[in-house]
């Protein structure tokens, strides 16, 4: 606390930062909770012959938020893996990543560091077919890369270690960087993968499309079933809620500490003003000679009340009873600073 009972700049900054973090966590929690509630209320539809009839009856031939489950099938050509034979897919992601050790001058330790060198994602139009064979209904998946929870299967992964000479090793120690190698990865969404899609379902002429919702609700493409996806989103919302509550409690506790400190400062200042006022009044009475009392009979501490206590063993008569009670422990005579063994009250008549 600064003078005057106001919080210091550091305390104010800490309080503002804590409140900002709490607000940020609450915003994330609201977003996750809204997504979980929307997902729980999504309309579950089956890929069967009645799907087109349901969309025809819906307003605008559109179901704003629907859940469908099907098997991935390419519309035209499929993508072939560059490293695995007979591996076909509709989404292909190729990644080159550098791994190296970097010297930390603060901790004096070598830390792992990863750097993305190159990444390319190839897609081809695909659709979802019913899990059961025989039904001739398909749903075209639009903008799959915008979907959350889309996990690609790693079909190829190889680490190419770097070859280093003795001169290279010395140079690496001097520069503080030691290359470990290059990791090459290929991920794909294979044809025939069971996929759960959650989004806006639209009937466009004769084509049924699954696309990102226009109302801002999350768009999902997941290899998990709907119940697993829902449980994951609810767990995520609970996690952010707990973080928000903990951070909010910490902010409230810090605010209570500052307010309590400010109240104590205010109470001390008020008590100091009262004592100063009493001292001024006592000085005025001493000057004017009020109550017919000689200055020598007044308490040497407050200069207001009559002396009423004899301190033993020193024998000094210098304090009123109220000021004696206010003396700090262990109590000492304010004249000679000797310990007070006992007090004999003095009654003025």
């Amino acid at each position: 606390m600064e003078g005057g009972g106001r919080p210091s700049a550091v305390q104010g900054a800490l309080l503002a930062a804590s409140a900002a973090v709490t607000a940020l966590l609450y915003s994330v929690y609201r977003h996750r909770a809204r997504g979980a509630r929307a997902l729980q209320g999504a309309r579950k539809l089956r890929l069967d012959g009645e799907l087109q009839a349901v969309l025809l009856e819906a307003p605008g031939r559109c179901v704003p938020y629907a859940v469908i489950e099907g098997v991935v099938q390419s519309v035209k050509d499929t993508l072939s893996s560059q490293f695995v034979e007979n591996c076909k897919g509709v989404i292909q992601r190729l990644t080159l990543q550098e791994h190296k050790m970097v010297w930390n001058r603060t901790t004096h330790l070598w830390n792992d560091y990863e750097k993305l060198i190159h990444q390319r994602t190839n897609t081809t139009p695909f659709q979802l077919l019913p899990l059961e064979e025989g039904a001739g209904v398909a749903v075209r998946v639009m903008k799959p890369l915008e979907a959350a929870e889309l996990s690609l299967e790693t079909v190829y992964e190889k680490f190419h270690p770097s070859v280093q000479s003795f001169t290279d090793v010395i140079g690496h120690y001097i520069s503080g960087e030691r290359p470990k190698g290059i990791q090459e990865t290929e991920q794909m969404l294979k044809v025939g993968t069971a996929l759960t899609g959650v989004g806006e379902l639209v009937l466009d002429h004769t084509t049924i499309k699954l696309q990102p919702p226009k109302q801002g609700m999350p768009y999902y493409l997941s290899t998990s079933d709907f119940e697993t996806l829902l449980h994951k989103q609810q767990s995520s919302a609970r996690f952010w809620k707990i973080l928000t509550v903990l951070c909010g409690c910490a902010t409230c506790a810090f605010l209570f500490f500052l307010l309590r400190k400010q109240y104590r400062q205010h109470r001390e200042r008020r008590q100091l003003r009262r004592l100063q006022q009493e001292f001024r009044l006592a000085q005025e009475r001493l000057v004017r000679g009020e109550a017919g009392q000689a200055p020598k009979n007044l308490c040497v501490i407050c200069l207001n009340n009559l002396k009423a206590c004899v301190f033993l063993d020193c024998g000094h008569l210098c304090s009123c009873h109220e000021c004696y009670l206010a003396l700090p422990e262990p109590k000492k005579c304010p004249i000679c600073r000797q310990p007070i063994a006992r007090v004999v009250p003095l009654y003025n008549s």
Side-chain angles (χ1 to χ4, degrees):
M1 287 284 184
E2 294 178 344
R6 293 174 296 179
S8 65
V10 175
Q11 291 173 334
L14 288 176
L15 181 62
S18 179
V21 171
T22 303
L24 178 62
L25 292 176
Y26 178 69
S27 176
V28 175
Y29 158 68
R30 284 191 59 186
H31 177 72
R32 297 297 178 92
R34 184 167 58 247
R37 287 193 299 268
L39 184 60
Q40 188 174 14
R43 184 176 179 180
K44 299 179 183 178
L45 299 174
R46 294 176 57 87
L47 287 175
D48 53 20
E50 298 181 358
L51 180 59
Q52 189 169 0
V54 171
L55 292 174
L56 286 172
E57 295 177 357
R61 296 185 176 184
C62 170
V63 176
Y65 211 47
V67 180
I68 58 171
E69 296 180 352
V71 176
V72 174
Q73 180 66 42
S74 63
V75 176
K76 298 179 181 179
D77 299 329
T78 57
L79 300 175
S80 299
S81 171
Q82 293 187 4
F83 305 98
V84 182
E85 294 183 359
N86 300 324
C87 182
K88 305 291 184 179
V90 293
I91 299 178
Q92 179 189 47
R93 181 171 295 159
L94 301 171
T95 305
L96 284 178
Q97 197 171 32
E98 179 187 10
H99 292 259
K100 60 183 177 180
M101 304 286 288
V102 177
W103 177 254
N104 191 318
R105 302 183 185 278
T106 303
T107 61
H108 300 285
L109 295 173
W110 289 96
N111 299 327
D112 290 325
Y113 179 78
E114 298 177 358
K115 178 182 178 181
L116 184 64
I117 300 176
H118 176 73
Q119 187 176 78
R120 186 176 78 249
T121 302
N122 303 320
T123 61
T124 187
F126 69 96
Q127 58 190 2
L128 297 181
L129 299 179
L131 299 175
E132 303 84 5
E133 297 182 357
V137 179
V139 174
R140 178 79 173 271
V141 179
M142 311 300 294
K143 301 179 181 179
L145 297 181
E146 295 184 9
E149 302 295 331
L150 179 61
S151 58
L152 305 180
E153 180 182 352
T154 301
V155 297
Y156 176 82
E157 187 174 19
K158 186 175 181 179
F159 183 76
H160 303 277
S162 60
V163 180
Q164 304 175 15
S165 64
F166 180 74
T167 307
D168 295 333
V169 172
I170 296 177
H172 297 156
Y173 273 98
I174 295 176
S175 64
E177 294 186 0
R178 294 165 50 189
K180 297 174 62 177
I182 303 296
Q183 182 171 352
E184 191 174 17
T185 307
E186 182 182 24
Q187 297 173 302
M188 296 189 71
L189 179 61
K190 293 182 179 180
V191 173
T193 303
L195 205 64
T196 300
V198 184
E200 184 181 73
L201 208 59
V202 179
L203 178 60
D204 186 7
H205 300 290
T206 59
T207 304
I208 302 176
K209 296 180 179 180
L210 179 69
Q211 59 190 18
K214 295 184 177 64
Q215 291 81 5
M217 292 177 289
Y219 180 38
Y220 295 106
L221 288 176
S222 174
T223 54
S224 305
D225 56 40
F226 175 72
E227 297 300 329
T228 303
L229 178 62
L230 176 60
H231 178 71
K232 183 178 181 180
Q233 300 307 314
Q234 291 175 340
S235 300
S236 176
R238 284 194 297 269
F239 171 76
W240 287 101
K241 180 180 181 180
I242 292 173
L243 283 183
T244 303
V245 171
L246 292 178
C247 190
C249 291
T251 303
C252 292
F254 188 58
L255 178 61
F256 173 77
F257 167 77
L258 293 181
L259 292 177
R260 181 173 176 269
K261 196 83 171 180
Q262 188 174 7
Y263 170 74
R264 292 178 61 182
Q265 293 264 351
H266 174 72
R267 187 176 59 182
E268 291 175 0
R269 292 197 308 273
R270 186 174 59 184
Q271 185 177 5
L272 179 61
R273 287 195 298 268
R274 181 178 59 82
L275 293 176
Q276 290 174 345
Q277 184 178 6
E278 291 179 356
F279 183 73
R280 286 196 299 269
L281 292 176
Q283 285 182 325
E284 292 176 0
R285 282 197 292 267
L286 285 176
V287 173
R288 297 174 184 175
E290 291 182 356
Q293 299 293 336
K296 63 181 181 179
N297 292 334
L298 296 180
C299 172
V300 299
I301 299 176
C302 66
L303 299 178
N304 186 29
N305 301 323
L306 296 176
K307 299 175 182 178
C309 296
V310 180
F311 298 152
L312 299 178
D313 294 320
C314 65
H316 283 121
L317 173 62
C318 58
S319 169
C320 64
H321 184 67
E322 289 78 4
C323 291
Y324 162 71
L325 295 177
L327 289 175
E329 296 290 345
K331 297 182 183 300
K332 295 182 180 180
C333 174
I335 301 298
C336 62
R337 307 306 297 167
Q338 293 187 15
I340 301 174
R342 60 195 182 96
V343 178
V344 176
L346 180 66
Y347 300 97
N348 296 294
S349 60

